[in-house]
Amino acid sequence: MSWLTEYVRPKIRGLLQREVPDNLWTSCESCSQMILIKDLERAQKVCPHCGHHMKATAKERLDWTFDNAEYTRIELPKSPVDPLSFRDQKRYTERLKDARAKSHLDESLAVAHGKIGGNDAVVAVMAYEFMAGTMGAAMGEAFVAACRLAMLQRAALVVYTASGGARMQEGVISLMQMPRTTIGVEMLRDAGLPYLVVLTNPTTGGVSASFAMLGDVQLAEPEALIAFTGPRVIQDTVREKLPEGFQRSEYLRDHGMVDMVVKRPELHETLSRLIGLMTNKKNEEAKPALETA
């Protein structure tokens, strides 16, 4: 009897019960449908059932944007780590350390250069996974570095925005990044280089009040929240019910603040086409001047 219970029965159970890894499936946060993770990755984190666009990391966006996921990341400029010696429930330096360990990024902006549809491009991606993509002095330095790299390479600059706004741990220093990044955009305009912005969910606060809304072309992912202040705060202030879809991509497109709402799998082709059109136009305008000279 012991031979049957100790040897035969476990063998039979092993044949009938197969262990299934717990990391094969996930559920959509919008429709709650189960999705095979491999299928979700192939769809660039867009739910195949309802089309909901899930949050993506900075690395994933770089992989999806550049041709064949080939690009070169640049080292970002150094800036003061904790200029105000800020502390709330924990020290700001500890929060930065935790964010870097979890996201494997140095700051809330990642910058790389490569090709998009065969066109030279610099891409800056805000990382929501790094302290909610908040804007501090280091992020401002990184943005200006991206602008300068685009000018050096005579390339288009593409920026993906995803942010909770200014970083409170840096106080007024964070707010100073609003005019600073705006100056970076003006540098690109003076150099005659395309500046394209892709607004993703969410883009709020000081980011939406500065460089995020200054693109030559404003693109947005579907249903992205794009606002300075959230709808609940506005509704409580004006004491009126807000329109359906208020502060979402489609609402802003219909009211002239966004040029195009583009699904994530179509972004690479759309950016490639836009950069090609804009850079060819610039080249054609430059030819008569060169011939005259």
Side-chain angles (χ1 to χ4, degrees):
M1 191 67 180
S2 62
W3 177 75
L4 290 173
T5 57
E6 293 177 10
Y7 183 77
V8 176
R9 187 179 292 175
K11 284 290 185 181
I12 294 173
R13 283 179 179 171
L15 291 173
L16 296 177
Q17 298 179 353
R18 297 180 62 186
E19 292 185 5
V20 179
D22 56 1
N23 60 346
L24 287 179
W25 296 83
T26 188
S27 61
C28 174
E29 57 197 29
S30 178
C31 66
S32 301
Q33 290 287 331
M34 295 300 294
I35 313 165
L36 193 63
I37 289 179
K38 287 185 177 180
D39 291 342
L40 188 63
E41 290 173 351
R42 279 194 289 266
Q44 297 185 4
K45 287 191 171 179
V46 177
C47 176
H49 303 288
C50 67
H52 174 68
H53 285 53
M54 302 181 189
K55 284 186 174 65
T57 65
K59 183 182 183 306
E60 287 170 333
R61 291 197 183 277
L62 290 173
D63 290 344
W64 299 334
T65 302
F66 286 106
D67 296 348
N68 303 316
E70 296 176 356
Y71 54 88
T72 303
R73 288 269 299 272
I74 70 166
E75 186 177 349
L76 301 178
K78 303 297 180 184
S79 63
V81 175
D82 187 8
L84 303 181
S85 301
F86 191 93
R87 178 170 186 167
D88 45 70
Q89 294 177 342
K90 61 178 6 179
R91 293 185 183 278
Y92 178 37
T93 50
E94 293 177 9
R95 290 191 183 278
L96 287 172
K97 185 178 179 181
D98 292 342
R100 286 165 180 161
K102 291 176 182 177
S103 66
H104 305 291
L105 295 169
D106 293 329
E107 246 307 317
S108 59
L109 192 75
V111 181
H113 60 95
K115 301 279 188 181
I116 300 178
N119 303 295
D120 291 330
V122 177
V123 178
V125 181
M126 297 195 74
Y128 196 80
E129 63 270 26
F130 190 102
M131 296 186 70
T134 44
M135 179 172 60
M139 201 231 81
E141 285 278 4
F143 183 87
V144 173
C147 294
R148 287 174 175 161
L149 179 61
M151 294 171 63
L152 182 65
Q153 297 188 354
R154 300 296 302 168
L157 176 61
V158 178
V159 176
Y160 285 87
T161 62
S163 176
R167 188 172 298 173
M168 69 171 193
Q169 290 89 348
E170 296 189 23
V172 70
I173 295 173
S174 174
L175 297 179
M176 288 301 295
Q177 307 314 308
M178 295 170 64
R180 192 172 190 199
T181 53
T182 302
I183 290 172
V185 176
E186 287 302 314
M187 289 163 53
L188 290 172
R189 293 223 170 113
D190 291 343
L193 298 172
Y195 173 56
L196 297 93
V197 179
V198 182
L199 303 158
T200 73
N201 184 50
T203 298
T204 60
V207 171
S208 68
S210 56
F211 67 91
M213 301 304 292
L214 297 176
D216 296 322
V217 181
Q218 297 284 134
L219 299 91
E221 290 187 340
E223 289 294 316
L225 175 65
I226 304 164
F228 180 73
T229 303
R232 185 178 61 183
V233 175
I234 294 176
Q235 186 163 303
D236 291 344
T237 303
V238 301
R239 300 183 184 281
E240 292 182 10
K241 186 176 181 180
L242 300 175
E244 186 177 352
F246 182 69
Q247 294 182 323
R248 295 289 172 174
S249 306
E250 293 76 8
Y251 184 91
L252 295 182
R253 177 198 58 199
D254 295 341
H255 289 77
M257 293 186 71
V258 169
D259 297 309
M260 305 170 67
V261 176
V262 185
K263 294 178 182 178
R264 190 177 292 164
E266 300 170 6
L267 268 172
H268 177 269
E269 182 181 348
T270 302
L271 289 170
S272 173
R273 184 170 68 252
L274 286 171
I275 293 171
L277 288 170
M278 296 173 77
T279 52
N280 286 338
K281 183 179 179 181
K282 297 290 183 184
N283 292 335
E284 288 172 5
E285 289 176 350
K287 279 180 182 179
L290 291 173
E291 289 172 358
T292 305

